[in-house]
Amino acid sequence: MARSTVRTEITGKVWKVTATAGQSLAEDDPIVILESMKMEIPVPAPVACKVIEVLVAEGDAVTEGDVIAHIEG
Amino acid sequence: MAFDRQREEFEARRQRALAMGSSRRLAERKAAGILNARERVDSLLDAGSFIEAGLLATSARPDMRDKSPADGVVSGFGRIDGRHVGVNAADFTTLGSSSAEIHGKKQHYVRETSRRNGMPLVNLMECAGGRIPDIMGAAGIGRAGEGSRYTHPRTHPWAAAVLGLTYGGGAFTCINSDFVVMRKGAVLAVSSSNVTSVAIAEDMDPEALGGWRLHSEVTGFVDSVVDSDGEAIAQVRAFLSYMPDNASLPPPASATFEEAPGARALDTLVPESRAKVYDIRNVIRAIADRDTVFPLKERFAKVAVTALGRIRGRTVGFIASNPMFKGGALDPDACDKITSFIVLCDSFNIPLVFLADTPGFLVGAESEKRRLPGKIMNFMAALEMSTVPKIALVLRKSYGQAYLNMGGGKADVTATWFSGDISFMDPAVAVNVVHGVKPGEQPEQYGRLLEEVSAGTTAYELAAPFMAQMVIDPNQTRDFLAGMLEVLSRRMTNGIGEHRLSAWPPAF
């Protein structure tokens, strides 16, 4: 199982963290939900995976391309 | 029998040419599951319809005549579902299908004959680049520039498949095409990694230099990615099924069609809360005739969806913002993607349907760095110069310049779902920007102002001054579009536009 990183594709604020370390996710399951452009925008798991670490907390500001989680899968 | 000796020689020459290049290379391809040029032509065209041009052509260099069957390209004319096309299929087993004088002359002949006779051109490409030594020296490169090989006037559709290592002239032919499908494992680049390693001391894996991920996700040059030669050829045929033979004809209509499941339940696909995301592709699939949606550049700039499809048998082009990605906020790549799609549809008389659910253009430093204002204006120029029928529909919201770019007030008809919210900006942002009131600090005043501002942004506020010609129920969308497409069918010109975008640059 390859380790990889998940990055944001939009600048905004972390509204909710929906996944925790150790959790198994299906492809497209949200890891965090950002608030940007007055929208709730999920950052989804790119593949079916296990979450190793979520690097952001609710209220954090993120910029396009920031790493928000490490996953394995 | 008469002509015996001559017929024997003719057959021997034909068989030598039909055998293509080295038998070792042909066997290697077969083992790898990759079709050779003649198998590709056979699988593209209706059985028995191929008329070959230049089977007995060879390299212009006398010493290479015996080593250059058909000079590395299988060219000619045939039919797809009964309709005529021209085809140039690279034979990589012959000198890497490299660019050289006769090789180019043959392709030019098919290209020009297809143009003059108004039929699509199919380019099945692989190319090692310029042939050495033919192209070396001043006379070599000088000769390569002769003729009009680099211009595609969009008078007839070009479809291309990238089916192997495709450098130089082969790559440029693909870039100039209206549709490009790429097989995984193929490479499209200006020059091979051999050349780049010497020219700029950069050692590179060909896949990183010009593989399917790069071209489907980053450059956007490729419209579709597939796993096999057979699938690539099926995609070429499918693309052409939406296209007219040439720009002076309307696109072919399908006599039979079926309503898609969910066509009358669009309100179940779209959340009522404007802040919630959903996948607009499900909406497009529900509006269009069942199984007719053909997305282009699906992996590139996902916030914009550009797809061919049919409504009650008629070909249409869908342009939509997708809230699933970046909340539907259109970024610079999305502008490029939409612009190129407007150019395609306008060139071939395909009406456009805009579906807007967007918080606006994606503002911010990154977008400005990537030329957002310029991209928005290119998009707008293409929209305003296009002469195909255009229908703009707002689903839940459409704000700012993006409302105009998505056809608001610019299309032949502007309409909105009853859920539409239309303004210069989101009411929640407006309260903050215009009145300087934040929800956390003055909640009561914020709530009151939000209500005030929101009252001016409803579907009915667009309908009252007749800036939207219709307000519709989401579940009436398909009937509304079908009805208006009939009204806007341009009977005076038989559905043919002015094609003012035909000279638009081929790439972005």
Side-chain angles (χ1 to χ4, degrees):
Chain A
M1 297 245 278
R3 284 193 173 211
S4 59
T5 55
V6 180
R7 293 171 188 274
T8 61
E9 53 167 31
I10 192 164
T11 298
K13 207 159 96 175
V14 178
W15 181 58
K16 270 186 190 161
V17 176
T18 51
T20 51
Q23 194 177 343
S24 292
L25 299 177
E27 183 177 339
D28 287 336
D29 280 355
I31 299 171
V32 305
I33 299 176
L34 304 179
E35 192 194 339
S36 180
M37 303 290 289
K38 292 289 166 194
M39 297 286 292
E40 297 158 17
I41 303 169
V43 181
V47 290
C49 63
K50 198 167 121 181
V51 178
I52 304 204
E53 191 184 2
V54 180
L55 303 168
V56 292
E58 286 170 17
D60 284 359
V62 292
T63 304
E64 180 181 339
D66 281 358
V67 176
I68 55 112
H70 293 297
I71 57 167
E72 192 173 73
Chain B
M1 221 169 119
F3 295 111
D4 269 357
R5 200 186 51 76
Q6 291 184 41
R7 185 166 288 114
E8 199 177 306
E9 183 191 350
F10 173 63
E11 270 313 311
R13 283 177 181 267
R14 263 173 40 83
Q15 291 309 324
R16 256 200 322 273
L18 288 169
M20 296 177 282
S22 91
S23 49
R24 179 181 56 80
R25 277 190 166 180
L26 284 161
E28 279 170 8
R29 291 173 78 95
K30 202 178 180 71
I34 295 169
L35 300 181
N36 66 47
R38 293 188 179 279
E39 289 167 338
R40 286 173 182 165
V41 171
D42 285 348
S43 86
L44 175 74
L45 301 176
D46 297 350
S49 70
F50 186 45
I51 304 170
E52 185 159 356
L55 172 65
L56 302 179
T58 57
S59 164
R61 290 163 53 89
D63 58 318
M64 290 299 288
R65 282 181 75 154
D66 293 341
K67 293 179 186 143
S68 52
D71 211 23
V73 59
V74 178
S75 300
F77 311 97
R79 289 172 186 260
I80 293 178
D81 294 331
R83 297 166 55 194
H84 277 112
V85 297
V87 58
N88 283 316
D91 168 20
F92 202 76
T93 67
T94 297
L95 304 171
S97 195
S98 49
S99 305
E101 188 182 349
I102 307 303
H103 177 93
K105 207 169 171 178
K106 285 182 62 179
Q107 291 189 65
H108 179 73
Y109 172 76
V110 170
R111 205 158 44 224
E112 273 303 290
T113 305
S114 302
R115 183 185 65 76
R116 282 199 301 273
N117 294 284
M119 62 179 86
L121 173 70
V122 178
N123 303 297
L124 304 177
M125 289 287 108
E126 290 183 74
C127 182
R131 190 178 301 170
I132 294 170
D134 304 43
I135 203 165
M136 300 301 283
I141 190 66
R143 195 176 296 121
E146 289 170 0
S148 62
R149 55 186 287 223
Y150 294 121
T151 309
H152 170 33
R154 295 194 179 93
T155 52
H156 59 146
W158 289 19
V162 188
L163 298 173
L165 300 175
T166 307
Y167 301 119
F172 299 141
T173 296
C174 294
I175 292 296
N176 280 333
S177 297
D178 301 293
F179 171 74
V180 187
V181 55
M182 188 168 193
R183 174 172 55 72
K184 286 182 186 171
V187 174
L188 181 150
V190 174
S191 63
S192 73
S193 45
N194 293 341
V195 175
T196 53
S197 65
V198 176
I200 60 166
E202 182 183 64
D203 274 321
M204 219 171 183
D205 166 25
E207 192 72 31
L209 191 68
W212 66 273
R213 274 193 184 279
L214 179 80
H215 289 309
S216 63
E217 295 171 6
V218 181
T219 67
F221 288 156
V222 159
D223 295 295
S224 172
V225 177
V226 295
D227 292 310
S228 69
D229 283 9
E231 287 170 276
I233 287 162
Q235 287 271 296
V236 166
R237 292 177 62 114
F239 170 75
L240 291 176
S241 77
Y242 294 94
M243 293 289 129
D245 286 349
N246 59 66
S248 69
L249 296 169
S254 172
T256 56
F257 50 83
E258 202 183 314
E259 194 167 288
R264 287 167 199 283
L266 296 188
D267 56 354
T268 62
L269 299 174
V270 178
E272 195 175 329
S273 163
R274 291 200 302 269
K276 302 277 184 221
V277 301
Y278 65 96
D279 195 334
I280 194 82
R281 290 173 294 187
N282 294 330
V283 175
I284 296 172
R285 274 193 290 268
I287 293 171
D289 295 348
R290 188 174 191 154
D291 300 328
T292 63
V293 178
F294 188 80
L296 299 180
K297 304 192 199 300
E298 196 170 20
R299 306 175 69 99
F300 175 70
K302 291 177 174 181
V303 58
V305 177
T306 51
L308 296 165
R310 293 195 179 90
I311 295 180
R312 296 186 69 79
R314 254 173 220 277
T315 298
V316 295
F318 289 100
I319 294 176
S321 50
N322 195 350
M324 187 60 114
F325 302 97
K326 301 193 178 188
L330 297 164
D331 62 5
D333 282 349
C335 293
D336 282 339
K337 176 172 168 174
I338 294 172
T339 303
S340 79
F341 189 70
I342 293 173
V343 171
L344 170 73
C345 291
D346 189 65
S347 297
F348 297 109
N349 312 311
I350 298 171
L352 289 167
V353 172
F354 291 83
L355 303 173
D357 191 340
T358 174
F361 283 108
L362 182 62
V363 293
E366 185 58 31
S367 288
E368 303 293 342
K369 233 185 285 174
R370 285 162 52 206
R371 308 186 179 88
L372 182 61
K375 303 292 184 184
I376 293 172
M377 284 301 101
N378 284 356
F379 175 175
M380 188 48 102
L383 177 75
E384 289 197 332
M385 287 202 283
S386 67
T387 54
V388 280
K390 290 177 285 290
I391 301 177
L393 181 64
V394 177
L395 276 56
R396 295 188 307 180
K397 62 180 181 298
S398 194
Y399 299 134
Q401 182 66 35
Y403 166 74
L404 306 172
N405 276 66
M406 289 298 281
K410 300 274 169 195
D412 298 277
V413 56
T414 299
T416 172
W417 283 5
F418 54 51
S419 48
D421 195 79
I422 304 102
S423 184
F424 182 55
M425 61 178 81
D426 190 308
V429 177
V431 172
N432 197 336
V433 172
V434 179
H435 300 282
V437 176
K438 291 184 181 171
E441 291 163 13
Q442 299 142 283
E444 236 168 78
Q445 201 186 353
Y446 179 85
R448 188 172 49 74
L449 285 167
L450 184 60
E451 209 171 297
E452 241 176 69
V453 174
S454 299
T457 64
T458 66
Y460 307 110
E461 292 301 312
L462 198 67
F466 199 55
M467 285 162 181
Q469 284 74 50
M470 290 108 186
V471 178
I472 64 167
D473 183 304
N475 297 340
Q476 297 170 339
T477 304
R478 179 175 158 89
D479 288 342
F480 160 72
L481 292 173
M484 278 314 293
L485 284 166
E486 279 179 21
V487 171
L488 302 172
S489 66
R490 303 278 194 271
R491 291 174 184 86
M492 296 275 277
T493 62
N494 195 26
I496 310 306
E498 293 173 28
H499 307 139
R500 290 188 281 171
L501 301 172
S502 65
W504 197 274
F508 45 75

